[in-house]
Amino acid sequence: TAAILVSALGGYLSGSLPFGYWAGKLKGIDIRQHGSGNIGATNVIRVLGKGIGIPVFILDALKGWLPAWLAGVWVAQQGAAQEIISAAAVVAGLAAVLGHMFTFWLSFKGGKGVATTAGVLLGIAPLAMLGGLIVWLLFFFTTRYVSLASMMAGVGVVATMATVMGRNGQWDLVMLGFGILIMGLVIVRHRSNISRLLAGTESKAGRKKA
Ligand code: G3P
C-alpha cells in the first residue's frame, strides 16, 4: 500500500543523514580519511573523541528509532490492521538502516548500521535489542573489538528473536526475517574489519590506529 511506500521513503531519508560525516566537517576534517574511514560513531570516537562520538551515536540511533516509531503511529491513525502497522514500522526501520549504509549524501557509500539498527530495534523489538546489547557488551569487554562485538550482537539479536519472539504467528516470522536480513547486512558491511581481524591488525578500543 501507499502507506508502506511512504514509510520506506521516510525511513530512507531519515537514515541517510550522515551525522558522523557532518560531525567531522564541523571539526574541519573528512572522517572518511581518518581511522577506519567509517562514518559511524565508533570511528568518530576514535578520531574526535567521546564528546563528539557519543552524540553521533545517539543521533544515528534516533534516525532509526524515529521513522520506525512514526510509521507505526501514522499507519495506526489510519485505522490499519495490526499487521500493516507492524509492517510499516519494520519497513521504515529497515529503510533507515539501508539509508545509513547507502546514503545519497555520500554517493551511496555510508556506515555499517550498528547504531541505527539499535535505534530501530529499541522501537520495534526492545527485547531483541536487549539480547543484542548483552552480547555486544560481552564481546566488547572481553576483546575490545567494537567490530567483532557488533557482528556478534547481530547474531544475538536473531537468536533472541528466534527464542523469545519467534514461537508462532506470521508477525514473528516477519520480524525474524527482518532480524536475519539486518544481521547479514551488518556483517557484510564489516568485511574490511573481518579482514583486519583475521590479519590481527584490527584496532582495539582505547588505541589510536585503524
Ligand atoms: O559500528 C561500526 C563498528 O562495528 C566498527 O567501526 O570504525 O571500527 O570500522 P570501525
Side-chain angles (χ1 to χ4, degrees):
T1 65
I4 302 278
L5 277 175
V6 173
S7 301
L9 189 65
Y12 178 78
L13 289 175
S14 171
S16 67
L17 302 172
F19 290 115
Y21 174 74
W22 286 338
K25 281 281 139 183
L26 272 180
K27 288 278 152 187
I29 64 159
D30 184 339
I31 190 73
R32 297 170 301 174
Q33 312 285 327
H34 298 267
S36 68
N38 194 38
I39 62 164
T42 305
N43 199 40
V44 176
I45 291 175
R46 183 182 291 130
V47 175
L48 297 169
K50 285 187 184 161
I52 301 170
I54 290 175
V56 166
F57 177 85
I58 293 170
L59 288 169
D60 278 352
L62 270 180
K63 75 184 186 183
W65 175 81
L66 190 67
W69 178 76
L70 269 181
V73 171
W74 176 61
V75 174
Q77 268 176 2
Q78 302 178 355
Q82 185 55 45
E83 297 85 73
I84 305 292
I85 298 170
S86 306
V90 168
V91 165
L94 179 62
V97 175
L98 289 171
H100 176 78
M101 291 177 172
F102 310 100
T103 170
F104 67 90
W105 290 93
L106 305 172
S107 354
F108 300 97
K109 289 181 200 137
K112 299 175 186 174
V114 179
T116 307
T117 297
V120 170
L121 289 174
L122 187 65
I124 66 176
L127 225 50
M129 142 90 203
L130 188 68
L133 178 64
I134 291 170
V135 172
W136 191 93
L137 291 171
L138 211 70
F139 276 88
F140 178 73
F141 285 109
T142 50
T143 70
R144 295 265 152 196
Y145 291 127
V146 178
S147 54
L148 182 67
S150 298
M151 288 185 278
M152 295 314 292
V155 178
V157 164
V158 171
T160 310
M161 285 177 171
T163 51
V164 184
M165 319 170 70
R167 295 255 161 81
N168 44 46
Q170 206 188 352
W171 163 238
D172 281 343
L173 277 182
V174 171
M175 186 60 87
L176 189 64
F178 166 74
I180 292 172
L181 191 60
I182 288 276
M183 175 188 72
L185 282 167
V186 165
I187 293 176
V188 167
R189 296 299 284 178
H190 279 82
R191 343 187 249 295
S192 60
N193 302 86
I194 295 173
S195 313
R196 286 196 295 269
L197 283 166
L198 292 174
T201 56
E202 176 73 329
S203 73
K204 294 196 178 195
R207 288 221 227 119
K208 270 274 164 195
K209 243 189 74 205

